[in-house]
């Protein structure tokens, strides 16, 4: 593609505990929002973006109106490989391309997040579609996407959304990184189960795109990064922080952030969480961490009809330090 979707955004890399521009080693602080929808919105006649309500005007408003320099874009593995209901995989990928192009043209990177394996198999709970671990098709989808975006520095890769223990009513066994199944009695997902998967997925991406910047989530629904880092270069470690987690942020991700790049790929709340959100954002500032707040388009949400919610105002206030679309780390 020769960077046709990236509109001149510089390639990124990692150095010590920073994300940097690959050419100059200049630190870059990435902060923005999640734009959910492409993982769950059934395609309409105009396709996947239309069904999710994602438009060029909205993406431009997120980037320029909210001073975001990154948008995290959750996607659906099955739809990227097979399409959905008469709309082919090529159409799904074309709609992802469209969001990448819109975002980069305005000055923001796109973080592709493997959020759902498919839209047909809930993994317990109240129609929970977030799987505890990947499956063999996850290797296929990352090979596809890493090849497709090989020459696109605006595209970053979030391996797998939220590794977690099986819910009590999850009917499926956990899948090992070689495709074998754990016994149904094996319901825990620790670093012992997650890290071999993470390494396989990283290596698949790197075969197609050796310079890719890859984000690796923690366990316990993405929150807990104890046991990281991994023995691979250009990795960013991704935590998901909500008010239902313990408040020991230092152990979960803060200590790691002093040594390697750590990024909060999800954090958010509602009206009653505003003070908690300010305290968490202060902690991110203290560590110099980047983040993408959850979520522009569904609860816990940041806007309603482009008007910030009360928690959205907390997030928008923290995004106010943008300069020419890039936030630099001091």
């Amino acid at each position: 593609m020769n960077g046709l979707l990236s509109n001149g955004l510089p390639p990124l890399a990692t150095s010590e505990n920073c994300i940097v521009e690959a050419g100059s080693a200049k630190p870059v602080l990435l902060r923005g929002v999640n734009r959910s929808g492409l993982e769950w919105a059934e395609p309409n006649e105009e396709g996947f973006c239309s069904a999710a309500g994602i438009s060029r005007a909205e993406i431009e408003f997120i980037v320029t109106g909210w001073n975001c320099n990154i948008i995290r874009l959750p996607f659906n593995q099955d739809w990227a490989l097979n399409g959905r209901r008469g709309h082919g995989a090529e159409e799904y990928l074309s709609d992802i391309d469209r969001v990448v192009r819109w975002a980069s043209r305005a000055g923001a990177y796109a973080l592709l997040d493997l959020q759902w394996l498919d839209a047909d198999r809930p993994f317990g709970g109240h129609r929970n579609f977030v799987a505890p671990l990947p499956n063999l098709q996850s290797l296929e989808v990352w090979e596809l996407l890493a090849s497709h975006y090989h020459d696109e520095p605006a595209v970053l890769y979030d391996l797998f959304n939220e590794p977690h223990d099986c819910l009590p009513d999850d009917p499926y066994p956990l899948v090992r990184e070689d495709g074998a199944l754990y016994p149904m009695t094996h319901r825990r997902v620790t670093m012992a189960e997650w890290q071999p998967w993470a390494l396989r997925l990283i290596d698949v991406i790197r075969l197609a795109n050796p310079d890719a910047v890859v984000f690796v989530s923690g366990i316990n629904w993405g929150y807990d990064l104890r046991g990281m880092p991994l023995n691979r270069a250009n990795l960013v470690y991704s935590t998901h922080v909500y008010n239902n987690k313990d408040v020991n942020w230092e152990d979960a991700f803060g200590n790691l952030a002093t040594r390697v790049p750590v990024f909060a790929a999800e954090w958010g709340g509602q009206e009653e969480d505003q003070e908690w959100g300010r305290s968490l954002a202060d902690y991110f500032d203290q560590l110099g961490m980047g983040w993408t707040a959850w979520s522009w388009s569904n609860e816990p949400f940041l806007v309603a009809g482009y008007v910030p919610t009360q928690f959205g105002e907390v997030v928008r206030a923290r995004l106010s330090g943008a300069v020419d679309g890039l936030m630099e780390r001091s």
Side-chain angles (χ1 to χ4, degrees), residues 12 19-21 26-33 62-70 107-109 263 285 288-291 315-330:
L12 300 178
I19 298 172
V20 300
E21 290 186 9
K26 178 181 179 182
V28 176
L29 182 59
L30 297 174
R31 285 185 172 172
V33 301
I62 289 172
V63 178
T64 61
W66 275 51
N67 297 317
C68 297
N69 62 356
I70 184 169
Y109 292 85
F263 183 89
D285 288 346
M289 279 176 52
W291 45 259
V315 172
R316 188 166 70 165
R318 297 302 173 127
L319 290 167
S320 62
V323 179
D324 293 332
L326 287 176
M327 299 177 196
E328 299 178 14
R329 257 175 110 156
S330 58

Side-chain angles (χ1 to χ4, degrees), residues 220-249:
N220 185 13
W221 300 88
Y223 175 60
D224 189 351
L225 287 168
R226 287 173 293 181
M228 297 296 187
L230 299 172
N231 185 26
R232 296 291 188 276
N234 276 351
L235 297 184
V236 178
Y237 297 89
S238 174
T239 183
H240 295 191
V241 194
Y242 291 102
N243 204 6
N244 62 344
K245 300 298 183 187
D246 67 68
V247 294
N248 196 345
W249 299 331

Side-chain angles (χ1 to χ4, degrees), residues 61 66 296 301-310 312-313 316:
F61 181 74
W66 275 51
W296 186 264
F301 56 87
L302 305 177
V303 298
Y306 281 51
V307 177
T309 63
Q310 289 182 307
E313 286 286 8
R316 188 166 70 165

Side-chain angles (χ1 to χ4, degrees), residues 94-115:
S94 178
D95 272 7
I96 294 177
D97 288 352
R98 194 176 297 177
V99 180
V100 171
R101 185 186 303 110
W102 291 336
S104 68
R105 186 176 291 152
Y109 292 85
L111 176 59
L112 303 186
D113 155 45
L114 177 49
Q115 183 93 359

Side-chain angles (χ1 to χ4, degrees), residues 3-11 104-105 109 152-154:
L4 294 177
L5 300 177
S6 294
N7 289 291
L9 283 180
S104 68
R105 186 176 291 152
Y109 292 85
E152 295 295 349

Side-chain angles (χ1 to χ4, degrees), residues 8-260:
L9 283 180
L12 300 178
T14 65
S15 177
E16 297 181 343
N17 69 334
C18 295
I19 298 172
V20 300
E21 290 186 9
S24 65
K26 178 181 179 182
V28 176
L29 182 59
L30 297 174
R31 285 185 172 172
V33 301
N34 284 262
R35 197 345 176 153
S36 183
L38 287 180
E39 77 276 33
W40 53 260
E42 298 286 350
N44 60 25
E45 289 184 359
E46 297 179 16
F48 296 92
C49 276
S50 174
I54 301 174
S55 67
R56 177 177 175 179
E58 180 196 63
I59 296 299
E60 289 178 347
F61 181 74
I62 289 172
V63 178
T64 61
W66 275 51
N67 297 317
C68 297
N69 62 356
I70 184 169
I71 295 175
R72 185 170 181 257
L73 193 66
F75 71 90
N76 185 307
Q77 172 177 290
D78 178 51
W79 297 0
L81 292 172
N82 303 305
R84 183 70 167 178
R85 297 185 177 175
H87 296 262
E90 299 83 2
E91 184 178 348
Y92 188 72
L93 198 56
S94 178
D95 272 7
I96 294 177
D97 288 352
R98 194 176 297 177
V99 180
V100 171
R101 185 186 303 110
W102 291 336
S104 68
R105 186 176 291 152
Y109 292 85
L111 176 59
L112 303 186
D113 155 45
L114 177 49
Q115 183 93 359
W116 285 16
L117 300 183
D118 60 57
D120 300 308
R121 297 177 305 147
F123 293 88
H126 181 63
R127 292 182 61 77
N128 162 51
F129 286 92
V130 177
L133 283 174
N135 60 24
L136 289 183
Q137 287 69 50
S138 305
L139 301 170
E140 294 179 34
V141 80
W142 280 126
E143 181 180 19
L144 169 72
L145 294 173
S147 298
H148 183 74
Y149 295 113
H150 175 271
D151 294 319
E152 295 295 349
V155 177
L156 312 174
Y157 303 84
D158 193 339
L159 281 186
F160 185 73
N161 183 46
E162 290 178 338
H164 61 273
D165 294 347
C166 294
L167 296 178
D169 58 343
D170 182 345
Y172 303 107
L174 294 170
V175 182
R176 295 181 185 272
E177 71 280 1
D178 61 2
L181 301 180
Y182 286 96
M184 280 298 294
T185 53
H186 190 117
R187 312 295 281 171
R188 294 288 311 283
V189 172
T190 69
M191 286 296 178
E193 290 77 24
W194 168 227
Q195 287 189 352
W197 260 120
L199 290 168
R200 275 210 77 184
L201 294 169
I202 292 164
D203 290 346
V204 163
I205 292 172
R206 293 281 168 74
L207 277 174
N209 191 343
D211 298 322
V213 176
V214 177
F215 289 58
V216 185
S217 292
I219 56 174
N220 185 13
W221 300 88
Y223 175 60
D224 189 351
L225 287 168
R226 287 173 293 181
M228 297 296 187
L230 299 172
N231 185 26
R232 296 291 188 276
N234 276 351
L235 297 184
V236 178
Y237 297 89
S238 174
T239 183
H240 295 191
V241 194
Y242 291 102
N243 204 6
N244 62 344
K245 300 298 183 187
D246 67 68
V247 294
N248 196 345
W249 299 331
E250 188 173 58
D251 282 351
F253 61 89
N255 290 330
L256 185 67
T258 65
R259 298 184 284 128
V260 295

Side-chain angles (χ1 to χ4, degrees), residues 255-319:
N255 290 330
L256 185 67
T258 65
R259 298 184 284 128
V260 295
V262 173
F263 183 89
E266 292 187 18
W267 67 285
Q270 301 189 41
E271 179 180 350
E272 62 272 20
D273 300 313
Q274 291 176 78
E275 283 306 312
W276 169 87
R278 291 187 186 96
S279 296
L280 178 61
D282 286 343
Y283 190 60
F284 294 153
D285 288 346
Q286 176 185 328
L287 293 170
M289 279 176 52
W291 45 259
T292 43
W294 186 276
S295 171
W296 186 264
S297 54
N298 64 329
E299 292 190 78
F301 56 87
L302 305 177
V303 298
Y306 281 51
V307 177
T309 63
Q310 289 182 307
F311 197 90
E313 286 286 8
V314 173
V315 172
R316 188 166 70 165
R318 297 302 173 127
L319 290 167

